[in-house]
Amino acid sequence: MALHRKQPETFPTIEEKAAWLDETYGHLSAGEIVRVSIETLFPGAIGTVSSFGADSAALLKLIADVDPATPVAFLDTGQHFGETLGYRDDLAVDLGLTNLQIVHPKADALGRFDPANDLHKSDTDQCCDIRKVEPMARAVAPFDAWFTGRKRYQSAQRAEMPVFEAVGPRIRINPLARWTTEDQANFMRANDLRENPLVAFGYLSIGCFPCTQPSSDGDERSGRWAGQAKTECGIHLDGLVAIDGQGDAMNESKTKIWNGETFIDDEWIEAETVADLAPSRPSILPVAEWQALGDEGRQAHGAPIGVRLEPGDDIAAIIEALDDLPIVALSFPAYTDGRSYSKAVRLRRAGYDGPIRAVGDVLYDQVDHMIRTGFSELVITNAPTIAKLERAELPGIDHRYQPSLDEEQKTNRFTWRRHAA
Ligand code: SF4
């Protein structure tokens, strides 16, 4: 048995490393895979993330038998069944797990997107992004590899999964990939493992309380997001890859420019002062600096110079120069500050047809209204927003009562408040 076959010192890519590991060790039993991974392949740099659901005890038992100090992360979404939380604590004691790590969603993301804890009613993908995917990325960030308890029989998406696979810069290991329901049941019985109490009530796959029902028709995952197309929360999908490696992900990730249809390249450099201007590079200056530079200074720069207005700035400062402005950036320093929407409308009504760029706190819920009010470029740093747009989940609502540049859609409610007397 090739438990200690020497690894090449380097691999050109993480995918090639995963393929080599899969070929070399993927055929071993689940227990052997766990042991060789902890002791030989990734000593001190491996952990697991457990839901403490219906099947979790088996993998945790295999890990505890090798090293009970292996980190076990639990994503506390804030929406778990009380039974799951109790089971987590009891099972950790049963198995002697000494490194249980509870990972919470970010408070600022919850406050911003889900203050009433009911986002799951309107947008399960975003809810999972905030409560599971981003915390998952933080949970695995310290590791070179982590274990999952996934099995091939559980869904079509999992049917082909290898035992060792590359996810971003890390290796994900699925030691139970080949297990059947019978293997799982036999292992639970043979080791007298405690079961999540919800299993007795027909919950064969257990997630958050609002999104989990008892399983039906022999399909153990049928109770997850029942009635929706959604089958996975995203921690096992591309969403994790998208934010992986960014440590403090989701809120401070990459920056992308959305033009209402697609992402575009950015040629503009934001400079805070005239002294910061990069020679001969298209740049955007705050309005006070733009005024201080004057016409002559702007021409001498050798590249276009645009202007940025904060919510408190008056567009009167640029209204005479609209014909010459290559770009206007309007700032949204906070989600709750909507003054820049009005500025965009006023600029368009004044005849400005150049790019109007939204910068600052640009979030998914604002995208539709920004486009409607005349913005043509949105600078987005919020990772959930980027991920949704990358998935072509375009925001939009059926009925609007705010006036804007597009044709007003009359509804039966509230429009009287906005009509001119
Ligand atoms: S499973 Fe439901 S409640 Fe839990 S994070 Fe996802 S959408 Fe939110």
Side-chain angles (χ1 to χ4, degrees):
M1 186 164 45
L3 279 183
H4 300 292
R5 183 176 155 190
K6 187 165 170 46
Q7 261 192 76
E9 283 190 5
T10 58
F11 291 89
T13 66
I14 190 79
E15 287 77 17
E16 287 174 70
K17 179 172 183 174
W20 185 88
L21 291 169
D22 199 57
E23 186 190 329
T24 308
Y25 302 107
H27 64 283
L28 299 177
S29 72
E32 289 167 338
I33 291 167
V34 170
R35 181 170 295 281
V36 74
S37 297
I38 293 175
E39 293 184 343
T40 308
L41 299 176
F42 304 99
I46 191 167
T48 189
V49 180
S50 179
S51 66
F52 288 84
D55 287 351
S56 301
L59 177 63
L60 293 175
K61 166 71 174 158
L62 292 172
I63 291 171
D65 282 351
V66 177
D67 182 0
T70 301
V72 176
F74 174 76
L75 309 180
D76 189 346
T77 63
Q79 303 278 23
H80 281 296
F81 290 88
E83 286 88 343
T84 296
L85 301 182
Y87 176 63
R88 173 196 68 193
D89 296 338
D90 291 341
L91 187 63
V93 172
D94 289 351
L95 300 178
L97 298 172
T98 59
N99 196 356
L100 183 61
Q101 303 176 357
I102 313 297
V103 184
H104 299 277
K106 287 190 165 187
D108 62 340
L110 291 178
R112 184 184 295 174
F113 298 109
D114 196 9
N117 290 326
D118 61 359
L119 183 59
H120 60 85
K121 293 178 184 171
S122 58
D123 192 338
T124 49
D125 284 341
Q126 187 176 26
C127 186
C128 282
D129 280 348
I130 293 167
R131 293 177 182 273
K132 289 187 170 181
V133 180
E134 188 281 329
M136 176 76 179
R138 271 187 283 129
V140 301
F143 308 141
D144 292 339
W146 81 95
F147 296 113
T148 84
R150 294 181 305 155
K151 305 171 189 73
R152 289 178 183 148
Y153 78 82
Q154 288 172 321
S155 70
Q157 280 170 309
R158 299 180 182 183
E160 304 291 329
M161 79 183 167
V163 173
F164 292 82
E165 54 187 337
V167 178
R170 298 182 184 80
I171 301 290
R172 179 166 61 197
I173 307 171
N174 310 299
L176 314 184
R178 291 188 302 274
W179 275 24
T180 63
T181 49
E182 198 179 358
D183 293 329
Q184 172 76 25
N186 289 342
F187 188 88
M188 294 288 286
R189 272 195 296 273
N191 291 281
D192 196 19
L193 293 176
R194 186 189 296 264
E195 204 169 59
N196 186 313
L198 293 168
V199 173
F201 295 95
Y203 293 83
L204 302 183
S205 177
I206 303 167
C208 295
F209 165 72
C211 303
T212 306
Q213 298 176 9
S215 310
S216 60
D217 301 329
D219 177 357
E220 64 183 52
R221 287 186 66 82
S222 59
R224 306 291 296 278
W225 304 283
Q228 299 183 37
K230 186 177 174 74
T231 58
E232 299 267 3
C233 61
I235 62 173
H236 303 306
L237 301 178
D238 291 347
L240 187 62
V241 181
I243 64 172
D244 193 36
Q246 297 175 36
D248 203 22
M250 294 308 264
N251 289 317
E252 302 129 31
S253 58
K254 58 197 172 187
T255 297
K256 288 200 155 195
I257 316 284
W258 176 256
N259 72 356
E261 294 180 353
T262 188
F263 290 107
I264 58 173
D265 293 335
D266 189 16
E267 58 173 339
W268 296 94
I269 296 175
E270 288 252 3
E272 288 306 313
T273 68
V274 170
D276 296 335
L277 283 174
S280 301
R281 298 287 304 278
S283 304
I284 300 174
L285 278 172
V287 65
E289 293 290 311
W290 175 84
Q291 286 176 310
L293 191 58
D295 287 344
E296 239 174 75
R298 292 193 285 271
Q299 278 162 15
H301 176 64
I305 295 187
V307 65
R308 187 182 82 224
L309 274 70
E310 297 300 318
D313 293 332
D314 192 337
I315 67 167
I318 62 169
I319 210 78
E320 297 298 326
L322 290 185
D323 287 346
D324 299 323
L325 273 172
I327 189 169
V328 177
L330 300 176
S331 180
F332 288 82
Y335 177 71
T336 49
D337 192 329
R339 288 175 285 177
S340 290
Y341 293 117
S342 312
K343 281 194 179 66
V345 171
R346 290 170 63 198
L347 287 171
R348 291 303 186 205
R349 287 182 177 160
Y352 182 65
D353 61 2
I356 301 181
R357 167 175 284 207
V359 298
D361 202 13
V362 178
L363 302 174
Y364 185 73
D365 288 349
Q366 298 166 287
V367 168
D368 181 63
H369 195 54
M370 284 176 171
I371 299 298
R372 290 184 67 231
T373 50
F375 286 92
S376 54
E377 300 180 2
L378 316 182
V379 180
I380 304 173
T381 58
N382 177 262
T385 303
I386 291 172
K388 278 173 172 287
L389 294 175
E390 284 177 336
R391 294 196 296 259
E393 292 174 24
L394 303 181
I397 52 178
D398 295 335
H399 300 291
R400 304 171 168 117
Y401 63 88
Q402 300 102 324
S404 91
L405 291 175
D406 58 8
E407 195 176 328
E408 188 174 348
Q409 301 174 10
K410 294 196 185 305
T411 70
N412 293 327
R413 303 178 65 204
F414 301 130
T415 52
W416 58 271
R417 295 183 184 176
R418 302 283 176 155
H419 287 315

